[in-house]
Amino acid sequence: SEFHEKALHATSEPFFRKEDDPMNGHWLHKCLAETAQSVEPLRSLSGQAAHNMACISEHGLYRRPKNGSIIVHFLKHPHALEYVNAVLRRERLGQPFSSTQCCTRMVWPKSPMAHRISPKVCSYFQLSKCFPSAA
């Protein structure tokens, strides 16, 4: 389909940010139609359990994950999962993980802002291995 071709060859971040939910919905619908499986909706979750990923806030819908988070939406890159893992691991150890620059570098690695941030900002958190030295 035209949508699939656009998604397959997308080179800019805004396409993924705006279109991931419809694309996931499309593939979920297609899989369900082919397998005749059923989907059960989740019960309503509190704002503490479900939220969108953000690097600059620790409160509200857009915030960093906590160990009590059940669903974290808006993780667009594999490095974002590495970052979330580090945040949760350090929280369990009682060591806050609050580097906004490292978060930006890991969660939004293709953004213009992330390209201006040195990979060294994540070295303290042992995440710098995720980035090649040449950006």
Side-chain angles (χ1 to χ4, degrees), residues 58-95:
E58 293 189 33
H59 306 286
L61 181 61
Y62 287 88
R63 60 184 171 80
R64 288 182 223 138
K66 300 281 187 191
N67 279 315
S69 301
I70 294 174
I71 295 173
V72 180
H73 182 253
F74 226 54
L75 298 172
K76 306 288 186 180
H77 195 276
H79 293 324
L81 298 176
E82 300 249 356
Y83 175 80
V84 169
N85 181 40
V87 168
L88 300 180
R89 191 174 58 244
R90 291 181 67 87
E91 183 182 306
R92 276 194 312 271
L93 297 172
Q95 302 169 347

Coordinates of all heavy atoms in Angstrom, one line a residue, residues 58-95:
E58 N 9.1 15.1 34.9 CA 9.0 14.0 35.8 C 7.5 13.8 36.3 O 7.2 13.0 37.1 CB 9.9 14.0 36.9 CG 11.4 13.9 36.5 CD 12.3 13.8 37.6 OE1 12.0 13.2 38.6 OE2 13.5 14.3 37.5
H59 N 6.6 14.7 35.8 CA 5.2 14.7 36.3 C 4.3 14.8 35.1 O 4.7 15.2 34.0 CB 5.0 15.9 37.2 CG 6.0 15.9 38.3 ND1 5.9 15.1 39.4 CD2 7.0 16.7 38.6 CE1 6.9 15.3 40.2 NE2 7.6 16.3 39.7
G60 N 3.1 14.4 35.2 CA 2.1 14.5 34.2 C 2.1 13.3 33.2 O 2.8 12.3 33.4
L61 N 1.5 13.5 32.1 CA 1.4 12.4 31.1 C 2.7 12.2 30.4 O 3.2 11.1 30.1 CB 0.3 12.8 30.0 CG 0.1 11.8 28.9 CD1 -0.3 10.4 29.5 CD2 -0.9 12.3 27.9
Y62 N 3.5 13.3 30.1 CA 4.8 13.2 29.4 C 5.8 13.3 30.5 O 6.1 14.3 31.1 CB 5.0 14.3 28.4 CG 4.1 14.1 27.2 CD1 2.8 14.6 27.1 CD2 4.7 13.4 26.1 CE1 2.1 14.4 26.0 CE2 3.9 13.2 25.0 CZ 2.6 13.7 24.9 OH 1.9 13.5 23.8
R63 N 6.4 12.1 30.8 CA 7.4 12.1 31.9 C 8.3 10.8 31.7 O 8.0 10.0 30.9 CB 6.7 12.0 33.3 CG 5.8 10.8 33.5 CD 5.1 10.9 34.8 NE 4.1 9.9 34.9 CZ 4.4 8.6 35.2 NH1 5.6 8.2 35.5 NH2 3.4 7.7 35.3
R64 N 9.3 10.8 32.5 CA 10.2 9.6 32.5 C 9.6 8.4 33.2 O 8.8 8.6 34.1 CB 11.5 10.0 33.2 CG 12.4 10.9 32.4 CD 13.7 11.2 33.0 NE 13.9 12.6 32.9 CZ 14.4 13.4 33.9 NH1 14.7 12.9 35.0 NH2 14.5 14.7 33.7
P65 N 10.0 7.2 32.8 CA 9.4 6.0 33.4 C 9.8 5.9 34.9 O 10.9 6.3 35.3 CB 9.9 4.9 32.6 CG 11.1 5.4 31.9 CD 10.9 6.9 31.8
K66 N 9.0 5.2 35.6 CA 9.3 4.7 37.0 C 9.1 3.2 37.0 O 8.5 2.6 36.2 CB 8.4 5.4 38.0 CG 8.5 6.9 38.0 CD 9.7 7.4 38.7 CE 9.7 8.9 38.8 NZ 10.9 9.4 39.3
N67 N 9.6 2.6 38.1 CA 9.4 1.2 38.2 C 7.9 0.8 38.3 O 7.5 -0.4 38.1 CB 10.2 0.6 39.4 CG 11.6 0.4 39.0 OD1 11.9 -0.1 37.9 ND2 12.5 0.8 39.8
G68 N 7.0 1.7 38.7 CA 5.6 1.5 38.7 C 4.9 1.6 37.4 O 3.7 1.4 37.3
S69 N 5.6 2.1 36.4 CA 5.0 2.3 35.0 C 4.6 0.9 34.4 O 5.4 -0.1 34.5 CB 6.0 2.9 34.1 OG 6.4 4.2 34.6
I70 N 3.5 0.8 33.8 CA 3.0 -0.4 33.2 C 3.2 -0.2 31.7 O 3.7 -1.1 31.0 CB 1.6 -0.7 33.5 CG1 1.5 -1.1 35.0 CG2 1.0 -1.8 32.7 CD1 0.1 -1.3 35.5
I71 N 2.9 0.9 31.2 CA 3.0 1.2 29.7 C 3.7 2.6 29.6 O 3.3 3.6 30.2 CB 1.6 1.3 29.1 CG1 0.9 0.0 29.1 CG2 1.7 1.8 27.6 CD1 -0.5 0.0 28.6
V72 N 4.7 2.6 28.7 CA 5.4 3.8 28.4 C 5.3 3.9 26.8 O 5.9 3.1 26.1 CB 6.9 3.8 28.8 CG1 7.6 5.1 28.4 CG2 6.9 3.6 30.3
H73 N 4.6 4.9 26.4 CA 4.4 5.1 24.9 C 5.5 6.1 24.4 O 6.1 6.9 25.2 CB 3.0 5.7 24.7 CG 2.7 5.9 23.3 ND1 2.6 7.2 22.8 CD2 2.4 5.1 22.3 CE1 2.3 7.1 21.5 NE2 2.1 5.8 21.2
F74 N 5.7 6.1 23.2 CA 6.6 7.1 22.5 C 8.0 6.8 22.6 O 8.9 7.6 22.6 CB 6.3 8.5 23.1 CG 6.2 9.6 22.1 CD1 5.3 9.5 21.1 CD2 7.0 10.7 22.1 CE1 5.1 10.5 20.1 CE2 6.9 11.7 21.2 CZ 5.9 11.6 20.2
L75 N 8.3 5.5 22.7 CA 9.7 5.0 22.6 C 10.0 4.6 21.1 O 9.5 3.6 20.7 CB 9.9 3.8 23.5 CG 9.7 4.1 25.0 CD1 9.8 2.8 25.8 CD2 10.7 5.1 25.5
K76 N 10.6 5.5 20.4 CA 10.7 5.4 19.0 C 12.0 4.7 18.5 O 12.2 4.6 17.3 CB 10.6 6.7 18.3 CG 9.4 7.5 18.7 CD 8.2 6.9 18.1 CE 7.0 7.7 18.4 NZ 5.8 7.2 17.8
H77 N 12.9 4.4 19.3 CA 14.2 3.9 18.9 C 14.7 2.9 19.9 O 14.5 3.0 21.1 CB 15.2 5.1 18.8 CG 16.4 4.8 18.1 ND1 17.5 4.2 18.6 CD2 16.8 5.1 16.8 CE1 18.5 4.1 17.7 NE2 18.1 4.6 16.6
P78 N 15.5 1.9 19.4 CA 16.0 0.8 20.3 C 16.8 1.4 21.5 O 16.8 0.9 22.6 CB 16.8 -0.1 19.4 CG 16.2 0.1 18.1 CD 15.8 1.5 18.0
H79 N 17.6 2.5 21.2 CA 18.4 3.1 22.3 C 17.5 3.6 23.4 O 17.9 3.7 24.6 CB 19.2 4.2 21.8 CG 20.3 3.8 20.8 ND1 21.0 2.6 20.9 CD2 20.8 4.3 19.7 CE1 21.8 2.5 20.0 NE2 21.8 3.5 19.2
A80 N 16.2 3.9 23.1 CA 15.3 4.4 24.1 C 15.1 3.3 25.1 O 14.9 3.6 26.3 CB 14.0 4.9 23.5
L81 N 15.0 2.1 24.7 CA 14.8 1.0 25.6 C 16.0 0.8 26.5 O 15.8 0.4 27.7 CB 14.5 -0.3 24.8 CG 13.2 -0.3 24.0 CD1 13.0 -1.5 23.2 CD2 12.0 0.0 24.9
E82 N 17.2 1.0 26.0 CA 18.4 0.9 26.8 C 18.3 2.0 27.9 O 18.7 1.7 29.0 CB 19.6 1.1 25.9 CG 19.8 0.1 24.8 CD 20.9 -0.8 25.0 OE1 21.7 -0.6 26.0 OE2 21.1 -1.7 24.3
Y83 N 17.9 3.2 27.5 CA 17.8 4.3 28.5 C 16.8 3.9 29.6 O 17.1 4.1 30.7 CB 17.4 5.6 27.7 CG 17.2 6.7 28.7 CD1 18.2 7.4 29.2 CD2 15.9 7.0 29.1 CE1 18.0 8.4 30.1 CE2 15.7 8.1 30.0 CZ 16.7 8.8 30.5 OH 16.5 9.8 31.4
V84 N 15.6 3.5 29.2 CA 14.6 3.1 30.1 C 15.1 2.0 31.1 O 14.9 2.1 32.3 CB 13.3 2.7 29.4 CG1 12.3 2.0 30.4 CG2 12.6 3.9 28.7
N85 N 15.8 1.0 30.5 CA 16.4 0.0 31.4 C 17.3 0.6 32.4 O 17.3 0.2 33.6 CB 17.1 -1.0 30.5 CG 17.7 -2.2 31.3 OD1 17.1 -2.7 32.2 ND2 18.9 -2.6 30.9
A86 N 18.1 1.5 32.0 CA 19.1 2.1 32.9 C 18.3 2.9 34.0 O 18.7 2.9 35.2 CB 20.1 3.0 32.2
V87 N 17.3 3.7 33.6 CA 16.5 4.5 34.5 C 15.9 3.6 35.6 O 16.0 3.8 36.8 CB 15.4 5.3 33.8 CG1 14.4 5.8 34.8 CG2 16.0 6.4 33.0
L88 N 15.3 2.5 35.2 CA 14.6 1.6 36.1 C 15.6 0.8 37.0 O 15.4 0.7 38.2 CB 13.7 0.6 35.3 CG 12.6 1.2 34.5 CD1 11.8 0.2 33.8 CD2 11.7 2.2 35.3
R89 N 16.7 0.4 36.4 CA 17.7 -0.3 37.2 C 18.3 0.6 38.3 O 18.4 0.2 39.4 CB 18.8 -0.8 36.2 CG 19.8 -1.7 36.9 CD 20.8 -2.3 35.8 NE 21.5 -1.2 35.2 CZ 21.5 -1.0 33.9 NH1 20.7 -1.7 33.1 NH2 22.2 0.0 33.4
R90 N 18.6 1.9 37.9 CA 19.2 2.8 38.9 C 18.2 3.2 39.9 O 18.5 3.4 41.1 CB 19.8 4.0 38.2 CG 21.0 3.7 37.4 CD 21.6 4.8 36.7 NE 22.1 5.8 37.6 CZ 23.4 5.8 38.1 NH1 24.2 4.8 37.7 NH2 23.8 6.7 38.9
E91 N 16.9 3.3 39.5 CA 15.8 3.6 40.5 C 15.8 2.6 41.6 O 15.6 2.8 42.8 CB 14.5 3.8 39.8 CG 13.4 4.2 40.8 CD 12.0 4.3 40.1 OE1 11.9 5.0 39.1 OE2 11.1 3.7 40.6
R92 N 15.9 1.3 41.2 CA 15.8 0.2 42.1 C 17.0 0.3 43.1 O 16.9 -0.2 44.2 CB 15.9 -1.2 41.4 CG 14.5 -1.7 40.9 CD 14.5 -3.1 40.5 NE 15.6 -3.5 39.7 CZ 15.6 -3.4 38.3 NH1 14.6 -3.0 37.7 NH2 16.7 -3.8 37.6
L93 N 18.1 0.8 42.6 CA 19.3 0.9 43.5 C 19.3 2.2 44.3 O 20.2 2.5 45.1 CB 20.6 0.9 42.6 CG 20.8 -0.4 41.9 CD1 22.0 -0.2 40.9 CD2 21.1 -1.5 42.8
G94 N 18.3 3.0 44.1 CA 18.2 4.3 44.9 C 19.1 5.4 44.3 O 19.4 6.3 45.0
Q95 N 19.5 5.2 43.1 CA 20.4 6.2 42.4 C 19.6 6.9 41.3 O 19.3 6.3 40.3 CB 21.6 5.5 41.8 CG 22.4 4.7 42.8 CD 23.4 3.8 42.1 OE1 23.4 3.6 40.9 NE2 24.3 3.2 42.9

